[in-house]
Amino acid sequence: MATNTLDYDPGFRNGRFRVAWYALLAVLLAVGGWATWRRISVGMASTNLTSISPWGAWVAFYIYFVGLSAGAFLVSTLANVFEVEGLEKIDRDALFAAIVSMVVALLFVWTDLGRMDRMYHPFLYRQATSALSWEVHAYVAYIGVLVTELYFSMRIDLARVAEETEGWRAKLCGLLTLGRRETSDESHETDERWLKRAGLLGIPLAVFMVHGGTGVLFAVAKARPYWNSGLFPVIFVISAVVSGTAMVSALYVLRAKLLTGERLDRALMDRLGKLLAGFIAADAAFTAIDALIALNSLHPHEVETWLIVLFGEMSWSFWWFMVGCGWVLPLILLSKRSWRRSPVPLTAAGLSVVAGIVAVRFNIVVPPQILPVMEGLPHGSYFPTAIEWLTSAGMIAVGLLIYSLGAEVLPLRPLDAPEPTGATGGGGEENSADQTTPAAADGGIAETGGDDR
Amino acid sequence: MSRADGSEAASVPSVPDADVLDGMVDDEAPDPREELAKTEYRTDLGLAMAEDAKRVAKGELSGDAYWEKYDEAAEAEFGDDYRETPNPAIDADGARQTVSRETAENLGCSVGSMASVAESMASEAGAEGEAGDAPAGDEKWGMVIDLQKCVGCDSCTVACKAENRTPPGVSYNVVMEEEHGEFPNVTRTNVPRPCMQCENPPCVQVCPVSATYKMDNGVVNVDYDRCIGCRYCMIACPYGARYFDFGDNYDDEVIGSGEVTSPEYGVDRGPREDGKSPVGNVRKCSMCMHRLNRGEEPACVETCVGDARNAGDLNDPESEVSELAESNRSFQLKESEGTDPNVYYLK
């Protein structure tokens, strides 16, 4: 721990990478902004949605990001509630990513409303029997819990930064301590106690309300037999944990490489890799059970919907993305101990799952809206328009921007935990393995030191 | 009958000439003096007003001059009836006002539109119970559709679109037409599908803002001013009876297609405009509640060529719909869903 001055600089290690990264985000935001303007001025006619298939890409991304958030949050509770060794390093990162995911999820729901101007109505008018009415309130409470947790998890380091460094970051961190600037062990214990309490409150909220509840939202739709199953909300929670663990694993490695330059904790990577593989296996198993129950029911609507998923026009999204990227590829990458402990396979597995779960969400939302609810009504057919894709890209870019800015400013990695590698020297053997992810590849560089700032 | 009238008429067989026709009209027309004598009011005033009204119609006299001439006399003759009844010539500066504002302000009669005159007549009729078909207010509206009588002509769908002035992509009533069997043993069933106005509506269950709700009269209402357009109700409806209003219109096909809208659920929303409800909302059949409230049948029922559709009060055990709904041919769509529709079908 720093004695008199703290070497606090959590920003990108490579200035060129930072420029390239923010330039990419700026392009995505500009395109997304244009698409959003089109969506607002043209209205819902800018989508390929119809009265037969009223929910599409925005709903799929909404449940995707709710799942990502719930999953990342549950990973954080492994650290701050269940005290799994080593995971405290990713606690804040997971919480912050959970908050950002939730913000993005709400952006998607907002964009999806036919009357965006009435987004506050669910807080004025309620319906006790509506899962969606409960969900909206649960999301707000959940964001409250996440912010509370992040505060108690990070406060002591915010105080340290405010005390021991100078400049705008110190001032900002000072503000974020909300006036509690002690750095004593006692104050740390108080924080830990409240963190645990908030986490205990958050677990049922996340499992039963936020993500289980989002599953319930679909499962109660009796008119859509494909969703109308008791197993459905359970699968929702499991796939959420899969995507959350995958995201946190990838973030851990990417952050160490791109931002902090800390030495990777191989044991932690191994633990994350094992967790991820276990969750993937559970997800695949439960999905298989769900499919078997549906196919055995011989209920025509359910059987036909599954046949559409497995062999229909869009079955490539099931086989290549959901099964390939979501299950098979990551399980292969995580199968060997040495692979789990090296950054490339772990990050690749994480990002592969994060992409694969997108297909999971699309395959939840779209297929049951292809077959009409009454024989004799027209069949649906849906693929998102360019406007839908581009608005989605823009909203995701908003999330990436918030995360990047937060990661550059906030002490999301505990200050006393890492042993910073020499800021200029750069190289452990882990750095040479850096070329894997496209992001790292074009940022280049860890071994050049990457310190042009 | 008019062969003898001349050679010109003879060249156009069986069409009498204009003078003969005018004479026939005059023969049939009642004598104004006799008619007015039957009332308690002044015959001479009535005749004079009628004569001048004809001159107004021909453009020989202005509306202003006409009302200035007769305002006092009419007030003296008809008293409160004149003062309290809205004068259709004065539409409160609306499009149908036929007199100038100065004249309108000087007149002793009250101001109102043709619509308000019609409304006041309707409400009077309702209050006095003169019109036997005006609803009493304790109904539960329901519908019975006889599938043996339905010929699949789709005229209910057309009448519904005309009555409710629904935009492209929104059709509250559709006819699901299915062919069964193989040639030559082919049968066809036509199942008209309006909103079922369920007793236990799944759409009401899921609406996060209670914008859709069950009314006492059995109709499932949509409050377009509250609906946020989340479309959860469309997901929940087992009958596919709900439609999203994407804001399309028939402007290319019909001039001024959006100028008039239907007063669905009894609310007149004026012309259809972009960004204004119900654009961006979910819509569905209201069983023509606005017509039922006036004592009329829903448009689909009125138009049905085979008399396959019946609407009425399910609370009244004597009503035709109640008796038909009790018939052993009667069934509901997707009974296993537990929605208990108020629309019944006869096998």
Side-chain angles (χ1 to χ4, degrees):
Chain A
M1 196 191 303
T3 45
N4 35 34
T5 52
L6 187 69
D7 178 23
Y8 180 69
D9 193 353
F12 281 105
R13 297 169 72 208
N14 182 300
R16 268 178 306 160
F17 178 79
R18 175 198 273 127
V19 171
W21 175 241
Y22 283 113
L24 174 68
L25 291 185
V27 171
L28 288 176
L29 287 171
V31 174
W34 172 81
T36 305
W37 171 74
R38 290 289 297 164
R39 182 259 170 267
I40 291 169
S41 55
V42 176
M44 292 297 279
S46 61
T47 67
N48 268 346
L49 298 170
T50 60
S51 289
I52 304 289
S53 315
W55 280 357
W58 290 329
V59 171
F61 276 117
Y62 143 63
I63 60 173
Y64 171 76
F65 280 100
V66 171
L68 214 49
S69 176
F73 164 77
L74 290 174
V75 173
S76 84
T77 62
L78 290 180
N80 59 41
V81 177
F82 301 106
E83 294 171 1
V84 176
E85 199 194 329
L87 283 178
E88 68 282 347
K89 284 184 194 137
I90 48 108
D91 176 32
R92 296 172 194 174
D93 230 1
L95 285 170
F96 188 59
I99 294 170
V100 173
S101 296
M102 216 48 222
V103 169
V104 176
L106 292 181
L107 279 179
F108 273 102
V109 197
W110 187 18
T111 308
D112 190 60
L113 292 184
R115 292 296 303 251
M116 289 176 72
D117 52 321
R118 296 183 183 164
M119 44 92 77
Y120 60 91
H121 278 200
F123 302 104
L124 295 185
Y125 315 107
R126 297 181 175 81
Q127 170 60 267
T129 55
S130 168
L132 189 52
S133 182
W134 285 95
E135 280 310 289
V136 175
H137 296 84
Y139 295 155
V140 174
Y142 172 64
I143 291 177
V145 168
L146 290 178
V147 171
T148 309
E149 278 204 67
L150 182 59
Y151 170 75
F152 283 118
S153 175
M154 198 165 65
R155 187 211 55 90
I156 192 157
D157 283 345
L158 287 171
R160 276 183 203 147
V161 172
E163 190 178 324
E164 296 171 32
T165 65
E166 283 176 1
W168 64 272
R169 274 195 188 122
K171 282 195 184 120
L172 181 68
C173 290
L175 280 177
L176 293 176
T177 60
L178 303 180
R180 290 179 60 240
R181 300 244 189 156
E182 284 170 72
T183 53
S184 63
D185 284 350
E186 271 169 52
S187 72
H188 186 57
E189 272 168 31
T190 311
D191 284 350
E192 299 266 282
R193 202 161 53 241
W194 281 100
L195 175 59
K196 198 164 182 174
R197 285 173 185 165
L200 282 170
L201 177 66
I203 292 171
L205 189 62
V207 173
F208 298 113
M209 296 294 294
V210 171
H211 210 62
T214 305
V216 169
L217 199 147
F218 288 86
V220 295
K222 196 160 169 250
R224 316 274 168 175
Y226 178 77
W227 293 334
N228 187 219
S229 120
L231 204 51
F232 204 74
V234 178
I235 296 180
F236 246 68
V237 173
I238 294 173
S239 58
V241 173
V242 170
S243 64
T245 314
M247 175 172 70
V248 171
S249 308
L251 279 180
Y252 173 71
V253 179
L254 288 176
R255 193 123 132 70
K257 293 295 176 188
L258 297 170
L259 293 143
T260 56
E262 75 200 66
R263 193 180 298 279
L264 290 168
D265 178 344
R266 306 286 165 161
L268 173 61
M269 289 166 69
D270 192 33
R271 192 167 288 131
L272 284 171
K274 277 182 187 160
L275 273 175
L276 180 55
F279 292 145
I280 291 172
D283 187 36
F286 275 97
T287 306
I289 291 172
D290 195 41
L292 284 174
I293 294 174
L295 293 171
N296 270 293
S297 75
L298 301 182
H299 187 298
H301 207 281
E302 278 199 64
V303 173
E304 279 179 54
T305 305
W306 266 104
L307 293 181
I308 288 174
V309 171
L310 298 177
F311 309 112
E313 211 180 323
M314 302 291 287
S315 56
W316 54 267
S317 74
F318 177 81
W319 295 110
W320 288 103
F321 284 88
M322 191 165 156
V323 175
C325 295
W327 296 340
V328 178
L329 179 63
L331 281 181
I332 292 171
L333 289 171
L334 299 170
S335 60
K336 278 178 70 176
R337 185 171 177 272
S338 60
W339 287 351
R340 288 193 297 272
R341 296 169 83 91
S342 45
V344 181
L346 183 68
T347 313
L351 293 178
S352 171
V353 169
V354 167
I357 298 286
V358 174
V360 173
R361 301 313 183 203
F362 270 81
N363 273 312
I364 284 171
V365 174
V366 179
Q369 301 178 69
I370 302 297
L371 285 177
V373 286
M374 300 274 298
E375 212 182 321
L377 292 176
H379 281 236
S381 154
Y382 171 78
F383 192 81
T385 58
I387 295 293
E388 287 175 89
W389 286 122
L390 295 176
T391 48
S392 301
M395 286 183 271
I396 293 167
V398 169
L400 291 172
L401 179 69
I402 300 175
Y403 181 81
S404 305
L405 293 175
E408 286 216 78
V409 174
L410 301 172
L412 292 180
R413 209 53 122 229
L415 290 181
D416 40 359
E419 306 150 44
T421 55
T424 45
E429 81 281 313
E430 60 268 43
N431 285 337
S432 56
D434 219 27
Q435 307 299 338
T436 54
T437 66
D442 62 25
I445 61 6
E447 55 266 82
T448 58
D451 274 21
D452 0 31
R453 338 182 220 122
Chain B
M1 56 186 170
S2 57
R3 287 274 161 83
D5 280 357
S7 56
E8 269 181 63
S11 66
V12 188
S14 75
V15 177
D17 84 10
D19 293 338
V20 176
L21 283 176
D22 287 352
M24 288 165 73
V25 172
D26 289 341
D27 287 346
E28 288 299 316
D31 176 37
R33 192 169 294 279
E34 268 175 39
E35 290 299 311
L36 286 170
K38 292 177 193 165
T39 72
E40 57 186 290
Y41 301 112
R42 280 168 53 196
T43 302
D44 62 326
L45 178 64
L47 287 174
M49 285 181 80
E51 283 306 312
D52 280 339
K54 285 186 199 165
R55 291 173 60 210
V56 173
K58 285 180 194 157
E60 293 167 9
L61 184 70
S62 74
D64 290 21
Y66 178 86
W67 283 108
E68 277 162 20
K69 185 172 170 184
Y70 290 111
D71 184 46
E72 271 179 46
E75 195 172 352
E77 184 66 21
F78 303 109
D80 284 347
D81 281 350
Y82 177 74
R83 281 187 288 271
E84 287 165 13
T85 306
N87 185 335
I90 309 165
D91 193 20
D93 292 331
R96 292 185 182 83
Q97 176 150 327
T98 56
V99 298
S100 71
R101 186 187 297 196
E102 292 75 31
T103 307
E105 278 167 8
N106 290 329
L107 296 183
C109 52
S110 70
V111 166
S113 61
M114 283 306 278
S116 67
V117 176
E119 264 168 37
S120 67
M121 287 169 75
S123 66
E124 268 170 43
E128 290 164 27
E130 279 172 15
D133 50 358
D138 59 353
E139 292 82 4
K140 183 169 87 181
W141 299 115
M143 196 181 278
V144 181
I145 302 173
D146 189 339
L147 299 182
Q148 296 297 328
K149 287 182 175 175
C150 176
V151 298
C153 70
D154 288 309
S155 61
C156 46
T157 305
V158 176
C160 174
K161 281 199 77 76
E163 171 67 27
N164 291 297
R165 307 191 71 93
T166 48
V170 178
S171 191
Y172 297 163
N173 181 86
V174 295
V175 181
M176 302 182 295
E177 292 159 21
E178 281 173 57
E179 281 183 7
H180 308 278
E182 274 180 42
F183 181 82
N185 301 315
V186 182
T187 56
R188 182 169 149 154
T189 48
N190 309 298
V191 183
R193 199 264 9 240
C195 168
M196 300 291 135
Q197 317 293 349
C198 305
E199 273 306 285
N200 307 312
C203 52
V204 169
Q205 218 175 10
V206 300
C207 178
V209 294
S210 297
T212 192
Y213 55 92
K214 184 87 179 154
M215 298 178 74
D216 290 341
N217 66 8
V219 173
V220 174
N221 194 325
V222 183
D223 182 346
Y224 293 144
D225 293 325
R226 189 182 280 194
C227 170
I228 57 175
C230 72
R231 311 184 296 291
Y232 197 6
C233 51
M234 301 173 69
I235 293 292
C237 177
Y239 304 101
R242 286 179 165 255
Y243 294 81
F244 187 75
D245 191 332
F246 284 90
D248 296 337
N249 55 54
Y250 287 113
D251 282 355
D252 292 340
E253 289 84 0
V254 182
I255 295 169
S257 64
E259 272 174 30
V260 179
T261 54
S262 164
E264 290 176 44
Y265 311 103
V267 183
D268 186 359
R269 294 175 180 277
R272 179 174 169 82
E273 284 164 29
D274 278 351
K276 192 179 106 175
S277 283
V279 174
N281 293 134
V282 175
R283 307 178 61 172
K284 66 166 199 74
C285 155
S286 64
M287 218 188 236
C288 280
M289 204 179 95
H290 57 286
R291 290 175 60 95
L292 291 168
N293 285 347
R294 296 196 298 246
E296 298 168 11
E297 290 181 316
C300 55
V301 175
E302 190 176 67
T303 204
C304 181
V305 296
D307 197 21
R309 303 180 76 130
N310 298 271
D313 180 11
L314 288 172
N315 275 348
D316 174 7
E318 311 272 284
S319 71
E320 201 181 354
V321 281
S322 291
E323 283 173 5
L324 290 171
E326 289 297 311
S327 129
N328 55 10
R329 287 168 60 207
S330 161
F331 71 100
Q332 298 157 310
L333 291 184
K334 292 196 178 182
E335 283 172 14
S336 62
E337 294 278 324
T339 49
D340 190 11
N342 281 320
V343 173
Y344 292 83
Y345 292 83
L346 300 182
K347 282 191 257 254

